[in-house]
Structure formats: C-alpha cells, structure tokens
Amino acid sequence: QVQLVESGGGLVQPGGSLRLSCAASGSISTIYAMGWYRQAPGKPRELVAHITSSGTTVYANAVKGRFTISRDNAKNTVYLQMNSLKTEDTAVYYCKVAAGGEYWGQGTQVTVSS
C-alpha cells in the first residue's frame, strides 16, 4: 500500500505563488509517473501536469508557462510550483502516483482571491 501526503495549499491573491508537495511512502518498489490534477466546484477533475520517471513533463494548456512540476526521486516526492496564479486556478489539487497501481492524495485546497 502507498500513502500520499500533500501540503502547500492555501489562500493567495491573484498574481501570487504557491508550491505544492506530495510525498509518497509505504510499500514502494518503483514510482513511475507522478502528476497533479485539480477539481473545481461543479467541474470534472482535470490533469494539471504530469512527470515521468525520466523527467518528461506534460502540462495542461491553461497552466503552461506558469506552473512547473518537478520530482525528487530520492524522497519519493513530487512538487508543483504555481506562479502568476489566477482566480480560475481555484480548485482542490490532487497528486497521483503510478507505482504498481494508481494512488491518489487526499487533496489540498488552493484558493486564488483578492
């Protein structure tokens, strides 16, 4: 079993920055892909960014140039640096890890508001 603990969400003004972290622990042999998703009220969950074990990244068009995903394989941790935040970035952000199965974090709220 794999446990994911997310941190770093909060309230920020438009134009501000936040950094999310997601640490994986438990019965981990190999972590393949890691990613961040988000779900705003009344909307489906959507991919924000994805990073493979070799470091290849994919971003949603809405966050390209503003968000950066990275990972520390030694710490089994994935990060999401979010800059130039907009009100439409407000959502619950979830991390997902592929490690012999797919595992989701509990979600962390990000609210962008003045």
Side-chain angles (χ1 to χ4, degrees), residues 78-101:
V78 62
Y79 305 96
L80 185 68
Q81 178 66 44
M82 304 185 293
N83 299 328
S84 303
L85 282 160
K86 304 176 181 180
T87 55
E88 52 263 43
D89 294 318
T90 295
V92 179
Y93 284 69
Y94 299 89
C95 68
K96 187 178 85 169
V97 167

Side-chain angles (χ1 to χ4, degrees), residues 33-45:
M34 306 179 86
W36 289 96
Y37 291 71
R38 67 186 181 187
Q39 187 167 21
K43 294 186 177 182
R45 192 172 296 187

Side-chain angles (χ1 to χ4, degrees), residues 1 3 6 8 11 13-14 16 20 32 40 42-43 47 53 60 69-71 73 79 97-99 114:
Q1 192 71 7
Q3 295 80 41
E6 301 169 2
L11 172 64
Q13 292 186 342
L20 305 183
Y32 300 101
K43 294 186 177 182
L47 173 70
S53 57
I69 189 170
S70 61
R71 63 190 282 174
N73 292 329
Y79 305 96
V97 167
S114 55

Side-chain angles (χ1 to χ4, degrees), residues 2-4 22-25 28 30-37 51 71 76-78 94-105:
V2 175
Q3 295 80 41
L4 302 178
C22 174
S25 62
I28 301 172
T30 302
I31 294 180
Y32 300 101
M34 306 179 86
W36 289 96
Y37 291 71
I51 184 167
R71 63 190 282 174
N76 291 330
T77 300
V78 62
Y94 299 89
C95 68
K96 187 178 85 169
V97 167
E102 288 189 345
Y103 302 91
W104 289 90

Side-chain angles (χ1 to χ4, degrees), residues 38 47-49 59-68 80 89 93:
R38 67 186 181 187
L47 173 70
V48 176
Y59 294 93
N61 287 335
V63 307
K64 281 182 181 177
R66 300 188 298 122
F67 291 10
T68 302
L80 185 68
D89 294 318
Y93 284 69

